[in-house]
Amino acid sequence: MAGSTFGRLLSVTTFGESHGPAIGVIVDGVPAGMALAAEDIQRELNRRRPGQSAITTPRSEKDRVEILSGVFEGLTMGTPISLLIRNEEKKSADYEPLKDVFRPGHADYTYQAKFGVRDWRGGGRSSGRETAARVAAGAVAKKLLALRGVSILGYSLEIAGIRAARVDPAEIERNPARAPDAEAAALMVTAIEEARAAGDSVGGIAEVVASGCPAGLGDPVFDKLEALLAHAIMSVGAVRGVEVGAGFAVSGMRGSAYNDVQYVEEGRMRTRTNNAGGIAGGISTGGDIVVRAAIRPPASISLPQTAVDASGSTTTIQIGGRHDPCIVPRAIPVLEAMVALVLADSLLVQEAYVRNGVRPVRP
Amino acid sequence: MAGSTFGRLLSVTTFGESHGPAIGVIVDGVPAGMALAAEDIQRELNRRRPGQSAITTPRSEKDRVEILSGVFEGLTMGTPISLLIRNEEKKSADYEPLKDVFRPGHADYTYQAKFGVRDWRGGGRSSGRETAARVAAGAVAKKLLALRGVSILGYSLEIAGIRAARVDPAEIERNPARAPDAEAAALMVTAIEEARAAGDSVGGIAEVVASGCPAGLGDPVFDKLEALLAHAIMSVGAVRGVEVGAGFAVSGMRGSAYNDVQYVEEGRMRTRTNNAGGIAGGISTGGDIVVRAAIRPPASISLPQTAVDASGSTTTIQIGGRHDPCIVPRAIPVLEAMVALVLADSLLVQEAYVRNGVRPVRP
Amino acid sequence: MAGSTFGRLLSVTTFGESHGPAIGVIVDGVPAGMALAAEDIQRELNRRRPGQSAITTPRSEKDRVEILSGVFEGLTMGTPISLLIRNEEKKSADYEPLKDVFRPGHADYTYQAKFGVRDWRGGGRSSGRETAARVAAGAVAKKLLALRGVSILGYSLEIAGIRAARVDPAEIERNPARAPDAEAAALMVTAIEEARAAGDSVGGIAEVVASGCPAGLGDPVFDKLEALLAHAIMSVGAVRGVEVGAGFAVSGMRGSAYNDVQYVEEGRMRTRTNNAGGIAGGISTGGDIVVRAAIRPPASISLPQTAVDASGSTTTIQIGGRHDPCIVPRAIPVLEAMVALVLADSLLVQEAYVRNGVRPVRP
Amino acid sequence: MAGSTFGRLLSVTTFGESHGPAIGVIVDGVPAGMALAAEDIQRELNRRRPGQSAITTPRSEKDRVEILSGVFEGLTMGTPISLLIRNEEKKSADYEPLKDVFRPGHADYTYQAKFGVRDWRGGGRSSGRETAARVAAGAVAKKLLALRGVSILGYSLEIAGIRAARVDPAEIERNPARAPDAEAAALMVTAIEEARAAGDSVGGIAEVVASGCPAGLGDPVFDKLEALLAHAIMSVGAVRGVEVGAGFAVSGMRGSAYNDVQYVEEGRMRTRTNNAGGIAGGISTGGDIVVRAAIRPPASISLPQTAVDASGSTTTIQIGGRHDPCIVPRAIPVLEAMVALVLADSLLVQEAYVRNGVRPVRP
């Protein structure tokens, strides 16, 4: 209720401040009997970890995960899986000069207004570090989905206004921008480096595609699949917009162009276009589910900025430290995790009803 | 869990198919002692009602609301408020010719795939009619918010690609497009009429602004205020995208431009710009909360369309009946209702903690 | 959150005050494709209805149920089922003389303390009338359970200290006490009539047995099956105690007597005794689930009573009207309904995991 | 949803198997600004810890708690508080001989039936060890309650059929039975020792009293305060029954004796008796809240027992190891914790509505 828990049958509860002893997550509701090892989770955490490339923060957090419960003899037990990541290489002293200042673009003021107290060391609970716990949980969800033939692929569609012209899955992990288009990637990297050199930062758009989902996931009305996805994705710190399918482009479309024409191929319903993003009436169609997230430029920049301090006075600050000039590439595994959590949860919910009701009829 | 309930302390549960006996909503968690009359709710329902203008469906649903519980001697009792709207003027026979066809752009196929059975009369639960229950509930939330100085204003920002150039609140309810700019409104109306004449439909973008919210609403991590809003708004049938503040434009912004500069005026924290949309770190800043929704063109068009039927065969259909060529104007009260529900709920949650913890400190 | 909703995958939300226009319930999460008619629900409502026998209140509420949604062409649609019962034959004027008095044993004072306002007409939301909505919802759950071979049987185990010596299912609905033992029933009826003649009321103990449940229902830790049952049963107005299996008698038992000895018969695990009440570690064993509820004597008695009024003065009141001298027989269908709701919900939850995890292994 | 989370505004999520690396709990929703130290939690854990006296298990678990998040500079932050307890001195090999046997009275068979896999080392998730996490969370809730003048007192009311004749709070922690009556305590200890000498175990009844609660906690219908308490208490592994106030004794009472007579003293509403247990209509009266739990004799006894193994064969087993002959004294802090969690949560919920609605009116 205080916002640290998400999900229905598959629920995750996270904890931790960026400069506290540890962060972590409890994943409850994972079916018993699934093979799971720390390595499955570590692999995903490594994709989010700082210091991966020249265009991310040089901070070197190891983010080693420990499984504290829920797994025995290599198998999930049906009991809550607790994943712990100790915080290392914390440089809290870096933040001390700004402890009484509300940094622009950060949550310093709103946390102070809400709670009356605030962990000023690196953003505390509002830090992007919190997303490591999501990635850890998402790794479990991805494993569950993979067993059912569902795969999740994320990439940087646009950075600093530069948009990928094609989607080549093989290219994504080859370039530090995590863009699916080598040429666009090169331009993106240049734009990021220019921004950093200028003491500034840039934003972008990430796209996540889920393939292999059965038709029938999601529920009418408030738990439409796109509503659950929007909730999940918009809960990631830097996101300011979410789209499915044609997204904001629908404003300029007519119904005759928007409506995806259906056809049957090899006994399966398909569509010629995918303006609906794989979801109709809140329920998955069986086609690719396509979502996009608008990711703002990071708030921590080294340019001088005007700020207000706790006494209400205006001051000029300069934020030191080692920050990401663009968060989009490192946000990809986080967004994939959120999509995976929603889909795995929806799969479990759907199975409950399918088994207890009539079988789906497909043309 | 099956998606008909939304909210935490202020929760709403809706029911009803478009051609069943009735639709309605239970609003639970409204504090006791608030004046509430059927007229408060009817006023909002009338704004959503079909047949209001030349550019909406000529269907004439009266949508009379009846309060079944929770109000006694003109005051809320703290018990669930049940609101009932009987379905009248249903023309189910209109839908009979298409009962075995999956209409393009509709939820016919996905409902069939999920449930194995389907109410083919006018979309059943997936019908836009379901949103009348949301508007009724939202009217209660608006009343609660108004008592605390919070007001909600929605309008058509863009229709058929035509964007309002200014926001004049007084203009909104004067034109059938519900646009805040008279000139743009005229163009929008023309575009809608052209689409209808062509047997087609158009989409658009709605904007909702909440003013007067205190700082401190929303919770860290999964229940960030924008995440709750995104969930609420994306759960409205026709929505394909949600933005807060600068939204998707962040992709082309640098951090130095994005970060809203704060200053103190008359003892209150304010910002020079509002790229954050009134929310930082998931928590309201005290400034205007600004959200936008991309609304697709209605699926029901009278142009001939290719469709698949229950036997898997391809056929050509033509949808008769009285449909909206553009749903944006009628969606405005629905989106306002969803924003009101999220804010009223968040206010209640926040009060629980404020009273039990330290008082917020404001510069 | 304000307490009108119960259940996880199968959730019910009730509304209504005893003297308002109507009471009702929304049952969400019922799988699609199940046959359901108003008659299925009416049958159960008739068992709870006042005026059934000489030992219940002579009030004659018809309690006709109307299905407002969720059922089409005789089948559930997977959408919320809304059930409405209009309040008829309300005699609100009867309550006017006591509108400023806090009746002993009633919730008058606590509702006033909590809400600051109060519906003084017949108890409002705290009235036993609210349980009709539970019975209506329970009828749906019973239908779902019956399809899976689960049956629920409730009866009066003890009234006014008189305990049934045997359980003869055929006897239960034959006597107005709903006791499973004809001789005890006769004594119970006499005791009830004596209490009524004395202007007083009596309490008792109800027992509910669920047969045919598979092993595996319920979850470890907070959602143990007995915890969900205790929540459900203790939420019925007049209940002051809940037991499973050996219940409070465990205080005098040794472990060697308590531990149910298991054995295998026709490939199924069974136990020689059932001290656990069909639940071990919070999870159903596959044996009969046995719960008991202690039901207090009704608060409304015609004997003169000392009471405090809204001004804080002490006064003497005499409650007129037509009240039950013993609520146990009419509580039986209510308790059956609560057990049915918990079991149906737990069945749905369990199916989600069975299908997604390893298959249960049984010796 | 899989049962590891409990609570509404104040929610706890536990994890951990008895012989895994650790157990722990996340407490979310604690208001910011409350002083909290590890010592506050350790004190309560020490009351539950094994090896406290001659009549408990001689296992020596240190149960050192570590606060991983949510507290900064000695104050709660409003963010989730994560509490970790490493499992030490695990003797998993002790359990190896019985790994393929379903121990009588344990959850071995039901976990196997539900999950298909099972942690055979000391009960895994079904172990009483899980309650340490509850006690840790309860310590936080107790602190919150103490700030509002609410105190919780638990004790052994009955052990092995021997009932305390008086409640002397000062006596409780003086005797190893945690009984509030020195004479009864001596008899209880003797009975426990006799049972242990016979290779057996005994049950009992615990009583918990909460004093200082304001009137108004709890909600109508499904979240009646006694329903939340029953859920919480019945979710503790060994509990087979829950009572409030007069409890099962109501069966032999008449309404004239049951109804608590109210009176006003020093401006506060009071009652001459407390048959309602401090709760009327599901809402606290402002008087003492009194609940009792029936606690079964521990399942692990050293007497030979008949059991079924995984192949379905019957065998005779003898359980070695160091087990409690009576769990009631060590269950007291666990039950206190559960009552504290429910009351703290209900206080938060109530404040949300009080602040947003009319003020309570008290005579």
Side-chain angles (χ1 to χ4, degrees), chain A residues 227 230-232 234-236, chain B residues 221-232:
Chain A
H231 186 150
M234 197 70 108
S235 79
V236 177
Chain B
V221 189
F222 299 116
D223 287 352
K224 289 189 170 78
L225 191 55
E226 63 267 54
L228 299 178
L229 287 166
H231 186 149

Side-chain angles (χ1 to χ4, degrees), chain B residues 275-325:
Chain B
N275 291 313
I279 310 171
I283 297 167
S284 65
T285 63
D288 280 359
I289 293 170
V290 181
V291 295
R292 281 181 295 282
I295 297 174
R296 65 164 216 195
S300 287
I301 56 178
S302 53
L303 282 170
Q305 296 182 89
T306 301
V308 173
D309 67 20
S311 72
S313 305
T314 298
T315 180
T316 297
I317 63 164
Q318 211 159 348
I319 297 175
R322 305 152 300 165
H323 304 286
D324 287 278

Side-chain angles (χ1 to χ4, degrees), chain C residues 231-243:
Chain C
H231 186 150
I233 287 170
M234 197 72 107
S235 78
V236 176
V239 176
R240 302 328 274 162
V242 181
E243 290 183 331

Side-chain angles (χ1 to χ4, degrees), chain B residues 9 29 148 351 353 355-356, chain D residues 9 29 148 351 353 355-356:
Chain B
L9 284 179
R148 281 147 192 82
E351 293 296 352
Y353 295 115
R355 231 177 116 91
N356 282 281
Chain D
L9 283 179
R148 280 145 194 83
E351 294 296 351
Y353 295 117
R355 234 178 114 89
N356 282 281

Side-chain angles (χ1 to χ4, degrees), chain A residues 153 155 157 205-210 225-226 229-230 233 242-245 277 279 288-293 335 339, chain B residues 234 248:
Chain A
L153 182 73
Y155 42 82
L157 183 68
I205 299 173
E207 187 165 84
V208 181
V209 179
L225 191 56
E226 63 267 54
L229 287 166
I233 287 171
V242 181
E243 290 182 331
V244 293
I279 310 172
D288 281 358
I289 293 170
V290 181
V291 295
R292 281 180 297 281
L335 296 170
V339 170
Chain B
M234 196 71 106
F248 275 86

